Amino acid sequence: MSHSVYVTSIIPEPGIQIVKDFCPDAEVYSEDQIHPRDLLLEKIKGRDGVLTLLTDAVDKEFMDTVGPQLKVISNYAVGYNNIDVEEATRRKIVVGNTPGVLTDATSDMAWALLFSTARRCAESDKFTRAGKFHGWRPTLFLGGDITGRTLGIIGAGRIGASMAMKSVGFRMKVLYFDLNENKEMEETLGAKKVDLDTLLKESDFVSVHTILDDTTRHLIGKRELGMMKKSAYIVNTSRGPVIDEAALVEALKNKTIAGAGLDVYEDEPELKPGLIECENAVLTPHIASATIWTRGRMAEMAANNLVAGLKGERPPNLVNPEALD
Ligand code: DGY
């Protein structure tokens, strides 16, 4: 039986191969841009499966447009805040994601942002390229110390815990805020579970790793930023809306915190006014999982989830098992 499949973006070859092997007529949107919504709604009509990106809003309108035969939505990401999972479950549509394979790449990037921000790598690179380096100076680009300082992890799941584990070499004290205890972090690192306010007050580096949902949107706002030390830095590799970006711009401009390393933004790809001008922020374009190996594995996982869903089997990485009830 042949299936009608739409892939909303080029993804690395291993994934495309798996999709095409099972479904040679699968259509892939090949423009190197975010899929325009109008065209997307046209293309998805009548499909049995759609492989989506985190930039595609998979809402009621999307599902209505595809039609009642839709069996599977496979997201090429671990995060799935772009998908109305409740609605999908109600319609018995299985939803897949790509957990695990991007844990190290993402926590590595969080460290890269932490270092670049504290040690002012982006700012000083620009300075050097501009021909402004005229010799060693005692106070040129002074930054923050990392070794021996306190790291505060918000969200101690896979990626947050991986970030924490990598702090060993820097002999850091680790605090974490999460609804659940992370025994491994406590036993291996002596990490301490604290409330959010304590974490913000005591940390020299705050690294955000929560999922985005109604409970975490603007978890870090003006009040929370106001609790951080003037010498502290915040890093975000999770989802932009977890931080109130306008409040963050104010904190960076007024130097009530020392700096921020951001890979994600509240209104991606737009940045809130004023953020670009903040020299004490390092800004990367949502690339935390962007290593060749990781993106290849994500592509395979997303493709395998899609194919399993089309076959009526349980996708290996299923977000909504209730859809199978
Ligand atoms: C994800 O997977 O959710 C990341 O944001 C992109 O890899």
Side-chain angles (χ1 to χ4, degrees):
M1 178 184 163
S2 81
H3 301 274
S4 178
V5 163
Y6 192 63
V7 179
T8 70
S9 169
I10 299 265
I11 57 170
E13 191 47 35
I16 296 288
Q17 199 53 55
I18 293 168
V19 173
K20 292 268 181 178
D21 282 349
F22 183 69
C23 199
D25 298 332
E27 192 179 348
V28 181
Y29 181 66
S30 57
E31 300 295 322
D32 189 15
Q33 60 170 5
I34 304 293
H35 205 308
R37 179 76 176 175
D38 289 355
L39 183 62
L40 179 65
L41 293 181
E42 237 172 73
K43 291 285 189 187
I44 56 179
K45 278 184 195 146
R47 305 290 183 173
D48 302 302
V50 187
L51 194 150
T52 52
L53 299 191
L54 57 87
T55 46
D56 303 315
V58 183
D59 49 15
K60 197 164 175 302
E61 180 189 37
F62 180 108
M63 295 177 219
D64 282 343
T65 307
V66 184
Q69 74 299 326
L70 178 61
K71 284 195 180 71
V72 52
I73 297 160
S74 175
N75 215 34
Y76 180 66
V78 64
Y80 46 85
N81 56 289
N82 58 309
I83 301 177
D84 185 342
V85 175
E86 216 177 289
E87 185 59 32
T89 305
R90 210 179 56 70
R91 298 174 188 230
K92 305 274 181 215
I93 301 166
V94 290
V95 176
N97 72 336
T98 64
V101 289
L102 46 73
T103 300
D104 274 318
T106 306
S107 63
D108 287 353
M109 186 69 185
W111 275 104
L113 285 169
L114 186 155
F115 271 96
S116 316
T117 311
R119 301 305 308 268
R120 304 175 66 180
C121 297
E123 226 184 319
S124 56
D125 173 275
K126 224 160 77 186
F127 172 92
T128 309
R129 287 171 199 272
K132 294 182 182 168
F133 179 38
H134 301 305
W136 189 89
R137 304 297 308 140
T139 55
L140 190 59
F141 285 109
L142 301 185
D145 282 296
I146 295 162
T147 298
R149 297 301 193 262
T150 299
L151 173 65
I153 301 284
I154 299 183
R158 272 184 298 258
I159 300 172
S162 167
M163 173 85 185
M165 293 298 177
K166 290 173 185 173
S167 70
V168 173
F170 303 107
R171 305 191 297 279
M172 295 176 95
K173 175 178 169 188
V174 179
L175 303 177
Y176 73 97
F177 168 68
D178 199 298
L179 297 179
N180 303 311
E181 275 180 17
N182 187 315
K183 282 275 171 236
E184 194 193 354
M185 270 171 61
E186 292 185 7
E187 279 158 22
T188 322
L189 302 171
K192 205 166 141 209
K193 183 172 180 295
V194 292
D195 59 47
L196 183 58
D197 292 2
T198 304
L199 181 140
L200 292 165
K201 283 182 202 153
E202 294 185 7
S203 297
D204 299 297
F205 297 93
V206 173
S207 193
V208 181
H209 301 279
T210 56
I211 58 159
L212 173 63
D213 64 13
D214 291 343
T215 66
T216 60
R217 191 173 299 275
H218 282 195
L219 181 68
I220 307 298
K222 186 172 179 206
R223 187 192 83 92
E224 289 72 24
L225 290 163
M227 287 183 170
M228 288 175 62
K229 298 180 189 177
K230 213 168 174 250
S231 56
Y233 301 83
I234 189 161
V235 169
N236 189 7
T237 51
S238 67
R239 285 293 183 263
V242 176
I243 299 182
D244 176 345
E245 201 172 296
L248 178 61
V249 170
E250 281 312 298
L252 290 168
K253 275 208 309 220
N254 299 330
K255 306 225 165 39
T256 59
I257 64 170
L262 305 177
D263 187 50
V264 288
Y265 306 89
E266 193 166 347
D267 306 314
E268 256 175 64
E270 306 299 327
L271 308 189
K272 289 282 187 213
L275 184 55
I276 285 179
E277 286 79 43
C278 294
E279 295 272 21
N280 48 354
V282 175
L283 310 173
T284 53
H286 204 149
I287 54 168
S289 68
T291 71
I292 297 163
W293 183 87
T294 301
R295 288 286 169 88
R297 297 302 73 72
M298 286 169 65
E300 286 171 354
M301 284 174 96
N304 285 326
N305 286 336
L306 180 82
V307 168
L310 291 169
K311 287 181 176 164
E313 293 170 2
R314 185 189 175 95
N317 293 283
L318 177 61
V319 166
N320 58 343
E322 312 77 32
L324 298 173
D325 291 347

